[in-house]
Amino acid sequence: MTPAPVETPVRVRFAPSPTGYLHVGGLRTALYNYLFARRYGGRFVLRIEDTDRTRFVEDAEADILECLSWAGLLPDEGPDRGGPCSPYRQSERQAMYLDRALALVASGHAYYAFDTPEALEALRGDDAATRYDASTRGGLRNSLALPETEWKALLHSGEPWVIRLRVDPSKTVTFEDLIRGTVTFSGDTIDDQVLVKSDGMPTYHLANVVDDHEMGITHVIRGEEWLPSTPKHMLLYDAFGWRPPRMAHLPLIMSPSGGKLSKRSADRLGIPVMVKDYRKVGYEPEALVNYLAFLGWNPGDDRELFDTDSLVQAFSLDRVGSSGVQFDMDKLAWFNQQHLKAMPASELGRRARPWLDASGLESEPSYVVAVADLMRERLLHAKDLAGEWRFFFEDPAEYEREGIEKRWKEDSAELVSAYADAIEACDPFDAESLEARLRELAESRGVGAGRLIHPVRLAVSGRIVGPGLFEMLALLGRQRCVARLRTAARSIPAPG
Ligand code: GLU
């Protein structure tokens, strides 16, 4: 089946609520919106849905912006950069929602309700399935049930009120989800949702629908957890007489241990939840983006490594699946490694720099770049240069015990000192000459080269595995090598 052509111009939005820091699932939603917008030459809008003041977190918006910028998913319009639909924070658009809701009251699609919390409590009673809807609203205090003089008097008396949508139970809501196909809900399962709360603030449903309409959003791409809201939104579009955007609900992100990936299950499995934590532990944005692109989508062939531009070329909603996708840290680590491997050395050096600085390891930028280049095949994270491979920047503080036991023999101290003598005058100080000196020495002593190679590596790096020995020595340079060889010869005790 050939997928239906996408209507353009495309306008999509990422609409987070600033109730906490950006989650990795939120970043995936932002990414799919971004890719879709770029793929079809459209616009990617950031809208902050901050009408729920009770759950508002002060620095959440700043975190969202910072994470999007780190991931390279900059919006075309948003609170920080403005745009034709300003303002982009719902708290700054409040008056409009009330106007829209009042228009629905006037057209008979919505009504005032004056029920007290106790009355609502009593309505629910023991039966969780009891709703405020066509079957119950007649017995409650609202402008549909009460005589007009009475409810108008209530309204003027300053009695608290809300505005509810008048849902027609005989209506069936049907829409085509671009990922899930036809979705149908029956009106009699949907309550008369509140549109305006007693504090005058719109609910999520009202503000979301009004803004998607006002901002000319053509496609709503969001997580599956919002699917139950969509029929309510469809009823609202209908009441307003507006054409709804196309809907696409992304597959649920599952825990490797089964079930939805919750904060709890993620914590238990050592999966970071916040985007900023991925950054903090040292994942590269390219890797996280590449990984998240595959968390629900695939290109339909065996390509795996993508930068954002190539994702844009390959992306389509037709290749997004509807069933849950399991989070896989190993796969993310693999992407991280692959992206580091593919990076130009200068960039790799730039990525390592902050980690070196944070560890107080100082070095010439050109040296950092050369080390990064030599080590690229072995890096899981750029920060490994300041961790596992920090001997490039400071003398080893200790020698691997296992390495000593296995590799440091009776004659090691003497051989290592002799090698220090031999390379002191080695010119040029390059891998080739360093190797030639070592082999000459081994031969003159009548020992195999391994008898020198392993202790030399241990002496210089403190470890018994690493990159090619002679490249490593050449890069470390004469001074460091000679000094470290002599220190080890002095300080590593002979076996026995
Ligand atoms: N404000 C909702 C959220 O926090 C938006 C859901 C939607 O995209 O409609 O994710």
Side-chain angles (χ1 to χ4, degrees):
M1 190 184 85
T2 27
V6 170
E7 288 169 57
T8 52
V10 158
R11 282 178 67 79
V12 291
R13 85 309 193 266
F14 176 48
S17 301
T19 53
Y21 299 130
L22 185 63
H23 286 187
V24 69
L27 187 64
R28 184 191 63 164
T29 300
L31 172 64
Y32 284 35
N33 277 284
Y34 177 92
L35 295 176
F36 189 77
R38 290 284 166 279
R39 172 80 171 80
Y40 299 103
R43 307 271 287 177
F44 173 52
V45 175
L46 174 65
R47 181 172 76 225
I48 301 294
E49 301 209 324
D50 58 350
T51 55
D52 185 351
R53 305 310 282 181
T54 59
R55 294 173 59 216
F56 182 76
V57 171
E58 190 63 44
D59 51 348
E61 182 184 319
D63 175 73
I64 291 164
L65 285 168
E66 201 175 306
C67 291
L68 290 180
S69 144
W70 173 73
L73 309 177
L74 282 181
D76 302 309
E77 301 168 26
D80 62 324
R81 59 195 57 221
C85 304
S86 283
Y88 290 89
R89 272 182 212 105
Q90 288 188 329
S91 59
E92 295 166 20
R93 303 168 65 79
Q94 200 187 337
M96 191 177 57
Y97 307 121
L98 184 59
D99 286 351
R100 293 296 196 180
L102 292 175
L104 286 185
V105 174
S107 66
H109 289 96
Y111 59 90
Y112 293 103
F114 304 91
D115 311 276
T116 59
E118 296 75 36
L120 293 175
E121 187 76 12
L123 164 71
R124 258 174 252 122
D126 298 331
D127 185 0
T130 312
R131 280 183 300 265
Y132 204 121
D133 61 12
S135 69
T136 54
R137 72 167 88 99
L140 293 155
R141 283 190 0 133
N142 57 61
S143 60
L144 296 180
L146 300 172
E148 187 170 341
T149 46
E150 200 173 318
W151 69 258
K152 284 201 165 150
L154 282 174
L155 201 57
H156 292 126
S157 72
E159 190 87 2
W161 49 265
V162 300
I163 294 177
R164 288 183 179 269
L165 185 69
R166 178 184 192 168
V167 175
D168 177 355
S170 66
K171 221 179 185 118
T172 302
V173 182
T174 299
F175 61 92
E176 287 301 314
D177 187 289
L178 293 170
I179 295 170
R180 277 147 223 279
T182 309
V183 179
T184 305
F185 281 84
S186 162
D188 62 9
T189 62
I190 303 169
D191 66 344
D192 285 358
Q193 64 203 270
V194 174
L195 303 179
V196 177
K197 296 180 278 189
S198 56
D199 62 359
M201 275 287 195
T203 54
Y204 154 69
H205 301 301
L206 177 66
N208 191 268
V209 162
V210 167
D211 282 345
D212 281 345
H213 175 74
E214 293 288 335
M215 295 182 174
I217 299 303
T218 57
H219 297 76
V220 166
I221 303 171
R222 62 183 167 203
E224 190 189 77
E225 62 275 23
W226 300 100
L227 187 57
S229 300
T230 305
K232 301 183 174 188
H233 296 187
M234 289 299 175
L235 288 171
L236 260 173
Y237 282 110
D238 198 48
F240 280 121
W242 295 336
R243 180 176 175 215
R246 305 301 305 272
M247 295 287 168
H249 291 89
L250 303 177
L252 218 52
I253 300 180
M254 313 292 283
S255 163
S257 60
K260 181 176 182 258
L261 182 68
S262 63
K263 169 136 177 44
R264 261 240 313 266
S265 62
D267 283 349
R268 195 158 34 78
L269 295 163
I271 298 174
V273 174
M274 314 293 188
V275 174
K276 67 179 174 128
D277 289 338
Y278 286 84
R279 186 177 184 178
K280 208 186 311 168
V281 293
Y283 288 98
E284 301 303 329
E286 294 89 341
L288 187 57
V289 161
N290 196 161
Y291 172 70
L292 291 178
F294 275 77
L295 200 59
W297 169 86
N298 70 74
D301 52 38
D302 55 9
R303 285 175 300 161
E304 288 195 286
L305 279 193
F306 286 83
D307 62 13
T308 307
D309 287 341
S310 50
L311 282 173
V312 167
Q313 297 312 313
F315 187 78
S316 84
L317 286 176
D318 309 307
R319 300 214 55 87
V320 177
S322 60
S323 42
V325 281
Q326 219 167 55
F327 206 88
D328 180 351
M329 286 299 279
D330 293 339
K331 190 75 195 185
L332 171 61
W334 181 82
F335 274 115
N336 206 64
Q337 203 178 5
Q338 300 306 314
H339 278 276
L340 288 175
K341 233 190 239 184
M343 246 173 228
S346 56
E347 187 54 35
L348 203 48
R350 253 199 302 282
R351 304 292 173 111
R353 189 88 238 177
W355 298 100
L356 296 172
D357 290 346
S359 302
L361 299 170
E362 279 167 30
S363 223
E364 283 293 307
S366 59
Y367 179 68
V368 176
V369 169
V371 172
D373 202 23
L374 178 67
M375 297 309 295
R376 65 167 66 245
E377 295 286 330
R378 291 167 187 270
L379 296 179
L380 287 181
H381 296 279
K383 71 173 176 187
D384 296 346
L385 288 181
E388 219 185 322
W389 308 111
R390 65 190 290 141
F391 67 80
F392 278 104
F393 306 97
E394 67 177 17
D395 293 342
E398 54 186 13
Y399 307 97
E400 272 174 8
R401 169 182 288 277
E402 196 200 40
I404 297 179
E405 282 165 6
K406 243 165 77 184
R407 302 299 193 187
W408 199 260
K409 309 288 185 206
E410 285 297 336
D411 55 0
S412 295
E414 198 276 319
L415 283 171
V416 157
S417 298
Y419 188 55
D421 295 341
I423 65 173
E424 208 155 14
C426 179
D427 189 30
F429 198 83
D430 60 12
E432 204 181 317
S433 329
L434 287 162
E435 178 166 5
R437 293 297 91 77
L438 186 136
R439 297 200 183 278
E440 286 158 19
L441 179 60
E443 198 167 329
S444 74
R445 297 298 171 91
V447 295
R451 198 78 174 197
L452 264 158
I453 287 177
H454 299 296
V456 165
R457 180 186 291 285
L458 186 65
V460 165
S461 69
R463 317 190 44 179
I464 49 169
V465 291
L469 176 66
F470 302 106
E471 283 77 21
M472 177 177 107
L473 296 177
L475 188 53
L476 281 164
R478 188 190 315 273
Q479 225 182 347
R480 281 198 197 91
C481 289
V482 170
R484 291 183 189 182
L485 289 169
R486 294 205 196 289
T487 304
R490 252 196 334 269
S491 57
I492 304 180

